[in-house]
Amino acid sequence: MATSSPTSHTAPHAAPLGRVLMIQGTSSHAGKTTVVAALCRWFANAGYRVAPYKAQNMSNNAAVTRHGEEVGRAQAMQAAAARVDVTVDMNPVLLKPQSDRTSQIVVLGKPWLTADATDYYARKHHLWPIVTAALDRLRASHDLVIVEGAGSPAEINLAQYDIVNMRVARHADAPVLLVGDIERGGVFAALYGTHALLSDDERRLIKAFVINKFRGDPTLLDPGFDMLEARTGVPTIGVLPWFDLRDLPQEDALEWAQPDHAREVAAEATPRALDIVIARLPRVANLDEFQPLLLEPGVRVRFVGHAGEFGTPDLVIIPGTKSTMDDLHWLRERGLADRIQRHAAAGGPVLGICGGYQMLGHRIDDPAGVEGQGSVEGLRLLPVTTEFAREKVTRRVRATATNASSLWQAPSIALPAYEIHMGRTTALDHQVDLRPAFRVSAEAPGSDETPDGCCSADGLIVGTYLHGALEHTALRRALLTRSAERAGIALPPPASALSLDDALDRLATVVGANLDMEAVCAMLDLPQRATA
């Protein structure tokens, strides 16, 4: 990847810039992403042109814009909440962890370089004009931009490198709502301590506190609010209840990918649940695409990190990863590679997605040093090899499942999906045609179709570069139905689930009812319009 400084796209601003509201938190997972999404939908329903923005995100859950640029998945969800198409300006810097010490830095949707923290912080001065230009472009075309911070603004050891929290608020002179997670405990101390550690110029921008994830009677908090305001001069304008977010894409897999004891007990209580194992890779990417599987009745999803946990699954999934070679070594070290190969040899189905697809082949070569590993032998379950290249493929596609796969056997199913990968996978013997899993074309009408992925001769081992396929009900249900038939299981009918649009409306209604929106509109000098 090029290591020259990325360039910013500047544009003149003849018209006044739109308002900015910033949501910061006392910690990671305080609920900033959710609150931004709720407010984007609330203001969109009120008739405002609104857009989300996060200067710098760190996540291996990524989405692809219409123009083939890579952004954080959370900003794509927030853009859907705002009823606009996601653009690269909504997340100009994306950090994708690649190892314990390094991340790939994606700037304006394209890979810039791979760096450790020290190297990255030394380059922050290159990024500041880029993130401010992106914000200003959004402001030029929207009435309101709702900005999400990262982590906590009170990480004073990193304040000199800030391009995502208070420095952004100061640039836009934006009122800040500070969100505290009461589920963690010590929420008043967290709010007060965060406020106290900021500079005077930063404290003046914090206009209100918000309590998130509360269960119980909110009036019990009133004495704490009075004392907090007496000591800081900042009012608390909302107590947001704990909210079931399963119908919304999660920014980080950590909150839902851990084993859920209650769900496992419920699954074990059924006559026989469909048992799906997903490899818990250290550098897993886009694990959120499997979230819909967790909501399927009669299905037990286990995230497995060691051979002793493998059991006898009905289906094995190897997900995408930011470090294919390292995670393949990890599979071997944990004994999982051997268990997957034995499972496949016994006629067990395996689905590999993106990096997981690459692992299913015979060999992975890295002549360009993308992962710095040379070559490594794959699991040898599909007749393909992969070669890494420095140019990343990022694109949205339309895909149609072929009848080559025995996992779903549904050639009529067509769906939108997306690709994010740096490898090129070809047949082991270039004279042999692969049995593709999908036929794909670009989003533009009339685009030529090309093959994607590979299926084994019996169709039970399937690899694909497509992300997001299992988020589509028809293909997911076809996969589960076929898997249940092979296992002799009577799968219950699907549970009713909210569409993303309906889930965002419900979220906006709950947040709007528990947050003083009149006060929020006053901060922004915006008239409070009735929401639909």
Side-chain angles (χ1 to χ4, degrees):
M1 279 157 276
T3 57
S4 59
S5 300
T7 57
S8 173
H9 306 297
T10 59
H13 303 300
L17 297 179
R19 309 287 204 282
V20 177
L21 174 66
M22 188 161 197
I23 310 300
Q24 299 193 25
T26 57
S27 66
S28 297
H29 306 295
K32 299 183 292 291
T33 299
T34 305
V35 173
V36 169
L39 292 175
C40 280
R41 176 52 59 95
W42 193 93
F43 279 104
N45 284 349
Y48 288 101
R49 297 176 304 157
V50 59
Y53 172 84
K54 186 168 185 174
Q56 170 196 290
N57 200 350
M58 175 176 277
S59 178
N60 273 334
N61 289 340
V64 177
T65 72
R66 187 177 300 279
H67 300 293
E69 299 154 328
E70 195 173 358
V71 295
R73 189 76 180 272
Q75 280 62 65
M77 183 268 288
Q78 291 165 346
R83 304 187 190 280
V84 296
D85 199 19
V86 66
T87 70
V88 70
D89 282 340
M90 297 173 187
N91 177 210
V93 179
L94 175 63
L95 308 181
K96 304 190 74 174
Q98 190 161 301
S99 71
D100 289 342
R101 296 182 61 88
T102 63
S103 293
Q104 183 185 68
I105 304 169
V106 178
V107 178
L108 294 175
K110 301 297 181 184
W112 178 33
L113 54 84
T114 297
D116 62 17
T118 300
D119 189 17
Y120 175 62
Y121 290 138
R123 298 172 184 266
K124 284 281 185 99
H125 65 284
H126 293 302
L127 300 176
W128 177 243
I130 292 172
V131 302
T132 56
L135 175 57
D136 291 347
R137 284 192 296 272
L138 289 176
R139 295 181 68 187
S141 56
H142 294 84
D143 303 316
L144 174 63
V145 178
I146 303 181
V147 177
E148 179 183 345
S152 164
E155 292 168 350
I156 54 178
N157 57 313
L158 301 176
Q160 61 181 314
Y161 306 116
D162 177 33
I163 62 168
V164 67
N165 285 314
M166 278 300 177
R167 193 177 181 191
V168 173
R170 291 198 307 269
H171 169 78
D173 195 26
V176 175
L177 302 186
L178 183 63
V179 179
D181 178 3
I182 200 168
E183 206 168 39
R184 291 174 178 265
V187 70
F188 289 111
L191 291 167
Y192 177 78
T194 300
H195 185 270
L197 286 171
L198 300 176
S199 69
D200 290 341
D201 284 345
E202 293 167 341
R203 277 196 293 269
R204 72 172 179 81
L205 294 173
I206 296 183
K207 302 303 183 183
F209 297 134
V210 177
I211 302 290
N212 196 22
K213 305 180 189 177
F214 183 72
R215 307 173 195 243
D217 181 358
T219 63
L220 296 174
L221 300 174
D222 289 346
F225 297 154
D226 294 340
M227 186 178 296
L228 190 62
E229 185 169 2
R231 296 192 177 198
T232 64
V234 178
T236 300
I237 65 167
V239 178
L240 306 182
W242 183 90
F243 191 81
D244 187 346
L245 298 173
R246 287 179 298 176
D247 291 313
L248 295 173
Q250 298 298 296
E251 179 178 19
D252 298 299
L254 296 177
E255 292 190 3
W256 59 267
Q258 302 298 329
D260 184 332
H261 177 69
R263 181 177 178 81
E264 290 186 4
V265 170
E268 290 168 357
T270 63
R272 168 77 159 85
L274 186 68
D275 188 23
I276 299 178
V277 157
I278 300 178
R280 187 190 288 276
L281 303 176
R283 298 298 168 198
V284 67
N286 290 59
L287 187 59
D288 59 309
E289 65 188 309
F290 305 115
Q291 189 174 347
L293 287 176
L294 300 176
L295 306 180
E296 289 282 357
V299 176
R300 184 189 188 200
V301 179
R302 296 185 293 121
F303 297 90
V304 170
H306 195 276
E309 304 168 342
F310 192 80
T312 55
D314 300 307
L315 171 66
V316 173
I317 299 176
I318 308 177
T321 168
K322 192 64 190 69
S323 297
T324 303
M325 289 179 160
D326 281 344
D327 280 1
L328 181 54
H329 288 311
W330 180 88
L331 281 180
R332 291 195 165 102
E333 290 171 355
R334 295 298 185 97
L336 284 169
D338 178 65
R339 294 302 298 269
I340 292 170
Q341 289 169 318
R342 286 160 54 189
H343 166 84
V350 180
L351 173 62
I353 297 178
C354 200
Y357 169 34
Q358 296 169 346
M359 293 182 192
L360 292 176
H362 281 235
R363 191 180 68 256
I364 302 170
D365 297 320
D366 187 13
V370 173
E371 293 191 8
Q373 298 284 329
S375 295
V376 63
E377 182 179 332
L379 299 177
R380 303 177 70 86
L381 297 179
L382 288 176
V384 298
T385 62
T386 297
E387 182 173 303
F388 286 139
R390 289 193 174 276
E391 183 181 354
K392 180 181 282 192
V393 175
T394 55
R395 63 172 184 157
R396 294 183 187 176
V397 298
R398 298 186 184 279
T400 302
T402 71
N403 59 7
S405 167
S406 298
L407 296 192
W408 45 73
Q409 289 193 337
S412 62
I413 294 177
L415 48 93
Y418 59 100
E419 297 179 37
I420 304 176
H421 57 93
M422 300 191 76
R424 309 298 190 272
T425 300
T426 56
L428 181 65
D429 182 343
H430 290 282
Q431 304 304 312
V432 176
D433 291 332
L434 296 177
R435 295 162 51 90
F438 293 91
R439 304 290 302 181
V440 302
S441 62
E443 284 191 316
S447 299
D448 292 337
E449 283 193 332
T450 56
D452 167 81
C454 176
C455 301
S456 59
D458 61 7
L460 291 175
I461 313 298
V462 176
T464 176
Y465 272 119
L466 299 186
H467 287 289
L470 295 184
E471 296 179 47
H472 299 279
T473 303
L475 186 72
R476 184 175 68 254
R477 290 300 300 183
L479 172 70
L480 297 178
T481 300
R482 292 290 294 162
S483 298
E485 289 173 354
R486 282 191 300 271
I489 298 170
L491 198 65
S496 59
L498 291 176
S499 68
L500 176 59
D501 198 58
D502 288 341
L504 289 166
D505 273 335
R506 186 180 66 162
L507 175 66
T509 298
V510 171
V511 171
N514 291 278
L515 187 64
D516 186 346
M517 293 306 300
E518 184 176 351
V520 173
C521 289
M523 293 173 197
L524 297 166
D525 194 25
L526 289 174
Q528 184 178 0
R529 303 172 183 169
T531 57

